[in-house]
Amino acid sequence: MRDKIVAGNWKMNNDLAQTEDLLGNIKNELKPKEGVRVIVAPPFTNLYHAFESLRDRPVDVAAQNMNENKSGAFTGEVSAQMLTSIGVKTVILGHSERRAIYKETDELLAKKVDAALENEMEVIFCVGEELHERKAEKHFDVVRTQLEKGLFHLSAAQWEKVIIAYEPVWAIGTGETASPEQAQEMHAFIRKTISEKYGQQVADEVSILYGGSVKPDNAQEIFAKEDVDGGLIGGASLKAGDFLAIVNAF
Ligand code: 13P
């Protein structure tokens, strides 16, 4: 059985005091749900605090990015080993904001994936098309290429540490959500693409999350779809009440 997962991507939000506040509220109000994993991804500066604060709680902590190199002259960067040294074992890679704003290519992302897996980290790998690509009906091709270039060099065994997040760029932070049917259609396509390369068992065990304007009032119908195993939540993960309502949507 694959995991159901609700992950909060805080992006570049929350200083230390705000982090303490938000995590405090999440800890107070979280009612663990059997079979649902909860992850929060604060900015780098708050990861150590978050990990320590959540140590005895069923909430995992993820980084939002990392560098592909082990160490060295890479000013401003953070390595996988640095993350694991503070207890962080999960990293989001390939978010569309990293791809679009910081020009991260599929080739670079493949290297980051390797660095994470070499350090026994788990990867939440984001894929998704832009609006013009969907309008041109290229969305399946775009997502297939992102999967192939970023992940298809891995062995079947390495997929145990991979979670996919489908985030159509046109639905991120826009208030516009993919319909549950659009999400299901793409998630089923992703699973089929993985099964064609790795076989049905690997495909059946990969959790595929949906991201893009998930809110308490739409989470339930999106999560109800067969191939949607949870969500990667941006804006709504910054309010404990909303984030936990989404967790409870399962
Ligand atoms: P929103 O939920 O704010 O649309 O962001 C989605 C996202 O980018 C999560 O990684």
Side-chain angles (χ1 to χ4, degrees):
M1 250 314 258
R2 51 186 182 255
D3 288 333
K4 306 271 184 210
I5 300 168
V6 177
N9 175 9
W10 294 8
K11 308 192 180 184
M12 197 174 75
N13 292 294
N14 291 336
D15 62 17
L16 183 58
Q18 291 165 321
T19 298
E20 284 171 349
D21 212 40
L22 179 51
L23 291 179
N25 290 336
I26 290 176
K27 288 198 307 188
N28 286 340
E29 293 164 35
L30 177 70
K31 296 185 194 69
K33 286 200 73 153
E34 184 94 27
V36 181
R37 235 184 111 189
V38 180
I39 302 175
V40 292
F44 284 130
T45 47
N46 302 327
L47 285 174
Y48 183 65
H49 172 80
F51 180 77
E52 289 298 320
S53 153
L54 296 167
R55 219 174 232 290
D56 55 347
R57 299 301 169 114
V59 181
D60 293 327
V61 176
Q64 299 173 17
N65 177 34
M66 53 163 248
N67 187 273
E68 69 281 16
N69 294 288
K70 286 193 171 73
S71 63
F74 302 103
T75 301
E77 294 292 290
V78 169
S79 72
Q81 194 272 333
M82 291 170 188
L83 294 171
T84 57
S85 76
I86 59 163
V88 174
K89 297 202 184 81
T90 305
V91 61
I92 299 171
L93 292 176
H95 192 281
S96 61
E97 288 149 19
R98 303 280 337 158
R99 291 176 188 264
I101 305 170
Y102 301 101
K103 310 292 175 222
E104 294 196 2
T105 61
D106 293 316
E107 291 70 25
L108 173 68
L109 291 170
K111 289 186 191 159
K112 291 191 177 201
V113 168
D114 288 343
L117 296 181
E118 274 163 28
N119 285 275
E120 289 173 24
M121 294 181 77
E122 169 184 63
V123 174
I124 301 176
F125 191 82
C126 303
V127 295
E129 80 285 358
E130 295 184 27
L131 185 57
H132 69 92
E133 293 164 331
R134 181 163 279 263
K135 283 192 170 154
E137 297 188 2
K138 291 196 179 129
H139 44 299
F140 294 118
D141 290 343
V142 168
V143 168
R144 185 196 290 111
T145 301
Q146 290 170 339
L147 290 170
E148 285 174 353
K149 292 197 169 170
L151 296 172
F152 276 15
H153 63 289
L154 299 180
S155 69
Q158 286 179 302
W159 275 77
E160 261 181 45
K161 294 272 193 188
V162 177
I163 297 162
I164 306 280
Y166 169 57
E167 300 205 312
V169 180
W170 47 273
I172 295 178
T174 58
E176 188 167 341
T177 329
S179 68
E181 292 70 30
Q182 285 172 319
Q184 167 58 28
E185 186 184 36
M186 182 59 86
H187 285 224
F189 172 79
I190 292 170
R191 208 178 296 288
K192 181 168 143 287
T193 305
I194 297 169
S195 82
E196 284 164 3
K197 167 85 179 164
Y198 291 98
Q200 199 60 45
Q201 193 181 343
V202 171
D204 282 344
E205 281 168 12
V206 180
S207 296
I208 307 176
L209 316 183
Y210 169 79
S213 300
V214 178
K215 302 278 182 293
D217 61 2
N218 61 21
Q220 198 157 19
E221 56 172 353
I222 297 172
F223 294 173
K225 291 294 178 191
E226 193 184 337
D227 286 292
V228 179
D229 304 309
L232 183 55
I233 320 300
S237 72
L238 300 174
K239 289 191 190 136
D242 285 357
F243 184 56
L244 293 173
I246 293 171
V247 172
N248 290 327
F250 269 115

